[in-house]
């Protein structure tokens, strides 16, 4: 199967007038396919370079960096509730548009999520979907192009346009398949998460959680939290990657040393005197001083090994086996049903508030998981398969 003939010559959009005309045409269609090309290696926020749009009779590559181009018509199209916006693995794309327009495109259909619901595995690649559902092939030659370089080459434009061209066929195949299987609502539940702006926003106060900490006391943890939050805000302010402000491994060292002046900062490996004596260094010393001055009662608590009864590793393993069996039986990706954290919480709590205990996830897995914990069902091997066995009484 090949894309329709009218996709052979994608249009490059560089003016607001051309973009407005394109978006006006697409606003009359039931859905539009969307993709982006962006750069993020040197910035905190993604730098939008190109937006691709595909319609029934249009495929366009929008030069988002063209001089004088106003993307407002695109924002209006994305806010139009009558037009479904179809993406593949949309989270980074949505983050960009949330920054640009202040809102999430709506409604959204993510073909990666839909493929997981349709039984294509945990994280199926776009190339695989194009091959299996549309009989096509994606040319990867320009995947790592410098999309900020201008002018865009003809090859780059063709590559960018192909993504939204094939996406139309992938979307239609998945939509029809899910409709036949009665699973459109399953995708809609995931879309509700994708439509929530909080999904894409980073809370600096939570930034410390991505760090690997060993042996910290409560005071050091307070300093780590303060430094990690400061680094996130500083990276946002300067618009550079957080690792270029200070590196992950420097944060626990800073917390342990808790320097009070620029000289002390320079004792941390990799921190230069220029940084220590500059605006960022002064600001960093301020947050360290504030954390050092916190009253004892305001220090964060450290998790202690004995604070909670840990669930049996065997129970966790048993729930994972049940999850794998249910996912296989229903042809849906296990990761979409329940995460590893969900399984741990389910094993350790008799009444947790988890997505896997609500809606279709409960029907597929959650109800049986609770019954397994309650001793009402068991798992048994039958040849090469695992089956759920009802227990008497």
């Amino acid at each position: 199967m090949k894309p329709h003939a009218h996709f052979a010559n994608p249009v490059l959009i560089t003016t607001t007038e051309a973009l407005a005309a394109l978006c006006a045409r697409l606003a009359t269609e039931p859905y539009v396919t969307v993709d982006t090309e962006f750069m993020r290696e040197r910035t905190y926020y993604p730098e939008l370079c190109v937006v691709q749009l595909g319609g029934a009779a249009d495929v366009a590559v929008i030069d988002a960096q063209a001089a004088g181009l106003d993307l407002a018509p695109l924002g209006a199209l994305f806010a139009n509730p009558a037009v479904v916006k179809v993406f593949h693995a949309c989270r980074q794309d949505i983050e960009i548009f949330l920054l640009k327009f202040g809102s999430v495109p709506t409604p959204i259909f993510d073909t990666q999520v839909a493929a997981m619901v349709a039984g294509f595995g945990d994280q199926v690649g776009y190339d695989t979907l194009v091959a299996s559902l549309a009989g096509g092939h994606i040319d990867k030659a320009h995947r790592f192009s410098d999309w900020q370089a201008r002018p865009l080459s003809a090859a780059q434009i063709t590559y960018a346009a192909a993504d939204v061209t094939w996406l139309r066929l992938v979307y239609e195949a998945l939509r029809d398949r899910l409709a036949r299987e009665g699973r459109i609502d399953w995708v809609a539940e995931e879309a509700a998460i994708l439509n929530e702006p909080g999904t894409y926003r980073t809370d600096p106060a939570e930034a410390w959680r991505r760090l690997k900490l060993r042996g910290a006391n409560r005071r050091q943890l307070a300093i780590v939290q303060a430094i990690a939050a400061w680094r996130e805000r500083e990276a946002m302010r300067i618009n550079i990657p957080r690792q270029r402000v200070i590196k992950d491994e420097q944060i626990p060292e800073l917390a342990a040393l808790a320097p009070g002046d620029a000289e002390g900062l320079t004792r941390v490996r990799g921190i230069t005197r220029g940084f220590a004596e500059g605006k960022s260094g002064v600001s960093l010393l301020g947050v360290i001083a504030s954390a050092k001055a916190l009253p004892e009662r305001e220090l964060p608590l450290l998790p202690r090994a004995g604070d909670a009864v840990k669930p049996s590793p065997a129970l966790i393993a048993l729930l994972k086996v049940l999850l794998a069996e249910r996912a296989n039986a229903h042809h849906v990706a296990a990761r979409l049903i329940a995460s590893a954290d969900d399984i741990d919480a389910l094993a350790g709590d008799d009444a947790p508030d988890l997505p896997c205990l609500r809606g279709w996830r409960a029907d597929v897995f959650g109800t049986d998981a609770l019954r397994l914990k309650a001793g009402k069902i068991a798992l048994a091997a039958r040849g090469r398969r695992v089956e759920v066995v009802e227990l008497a009484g």
Side-chain angles (χ1 to χ4, degrees):
M1 186 185 297
K2 295 183 179 180
H4 303 302
H6 55 252
F7 288 125
N9 297 304
V11 175
L12 179 64
I13 302 289
T14 60
T15 68
T16 305
E17 292 74 19
L19 177 60
L22 170 69
C23 291
R25 292 193 300 274
L26 294 177
T28 66
E29 302 195 17
Y31 75 91
V32 59
T33 51
V34 188
D35 193 23
T36 66
E37 306 297 341
F38 60 90
M39 304 288 285
R40 201 172 196 165
E41 288 79 4
R42 297 184 295 272
T43 59
Y44 180 90
Y45 296 106
E47 297 289 321
L48 180 62
C49 302
V50 168
V51 181
Q52 303 100 285
L53 297 177
D58 289 284
V59 61
V61 175
I62 303 162
D63 182 356
Q65 299 189 349
L69 176 65
D70 184 351
L71 291 175
L74 183 63
L77 176 65
F78 285 167
N80 185 340
V83 182
V84 176
K85 271 62 73 172
V86 179
F87 297 83
H88 180 82
C90 72
R91 288 186 179 236
Q92 291 195 85
D93 299 321
I94 298 302
E95 179 188 359
I96 291 170
F97 295 131
L98 179 59
L99 289 167
K100 283 284 180 187
F101 304 123
S103 60
V104 174
T106 185
I108 293 170
F109 188 99
D110 188 326
T111 56
Q112 185 180 68
V113 172
M116 292 166 71
V117 171
F120 281 88
D122 272 0
Q123 213 161 7
V124 63
Y126 182 57
D127 302 353
T128 301
L129 288 180
V130 168
S132 60
L133 294 176
H137 170 72
I138 295 294
D139 181 3
K140 301 179 182 179
H142 295 278
R143 180 161 291 180
F144 299 106
S145 282
D146 180 357
W147 291 98
Q148 288 181 312
R150 292 295 181 273
L152 293 168
S153 70
Q156 283 180 306
I157 294 169
T158 299
Y159 165 84
D163 278 346
V164 290
T165 302
W166 290 114
L167 189 55
R168 290 184 61 83
L169 302 178
V170 169
Y171 165 67
E172 290 175 356
L174 285 171
R175 178 199 60 196
D176 295 347
R177 179 168 175 166
L178 293 173
R180 287 194 303 271
E181 296 173 355
R183 295 188 178 187
I184 288 290
D185 289 346
W186 296 18
V187 177
E189 287 188 28
E190 287 301 302
I193 298 171
L194 297 173
N195 274 303
E196 173 53 50
T199 301
Y200 310 95
R201 290 187 174 132
T202 300
D203 181 358
E206 297 296 310
W208 68 276
R209 296 187 185 278
R210 67 167 58 93
L211 302 172
K212 295 179 180 178
L213 304 176
R214 295 187 182 91
N217 58 41
R218 291 178 64 196
R219 179 71 61 187
Q220 288 175 348
L221 179 57
I223 299 173
V224 163
Q225 290 177 349
I227 294 172
W230 169 85
R231 180 180 70 164
E232 206 72 22
R233 292 191 300 268
E234 192 74 355
M236 292 174 177
R237 182 182 71 82
I238 306 173
N239 194 23
I240 62 173
R242 63 177 67 88
Q243 294 284 352
R244 286 182 55 186
V245 180
I246 52 174
K247 297 186 181 301
D248 284 355
E249 59 268 24
Q250 291 173 318
I251 295 179
E253 189 175 352
L254 279 164
L257 291 176
D261 55 26
E263 185 64 32
L265 271 182
T266 62
R267 292 177 188 157
V268 175
R269 181 171 46 189
I271 291 186
T272 65
R273 184 164 295 277
F275 174 92
E277 294 177 349
K279 181 178 179 180
S280 292
V282 171
S283 177
L284 175 57
L285 286 169
V287 302
I288 293 173
S290 295
K292 288 165 68 174
L294 280 174
E296 195 76 19
R297 66 181 181 277
E298 295 182 19
L299 294 177
L301 296 176
L302 292 171
R304 297 186 183 277
D307 283 350
V309 177
K310 291 186 177 180
S312 160
L315 176 57
I316 292 173
L318 201 60
L319 287 168
K320 288 181 177 178
V321 172
L322 175 65
L323 175 61
E325 189 280 330
R326 298 284 79 188
N328 182 65
H330 290 272
H331 306 290
V332 60
R335 185 171 66 86
L336 195 62
I337 302 171
S339 68
D341 287 344
D342 290 341
I343 295 296
D344 289 347
L346 190 57
D349 190 338
D350 289 333
D353 182 18
L354 297 170
C356 65
L357 298 179
R358 299 189 294 270
W360 68 266
R361 291 177 177 83
D363 296 338
V364 169
F365 167 72
T367 300
D368 278 345
L370 293 177
R371 295 176 70 219
L372 180 66
K373 283 188 66 180
K376 296 180 178 179
I377 61 172
L379 300 176
R382 294 281 192 270
R384 297 182 179 181
R385 298 180 58 190
V386 171
E387 294 182 358
V388 174
V389 178
E390 296 285 339
L391 299 179

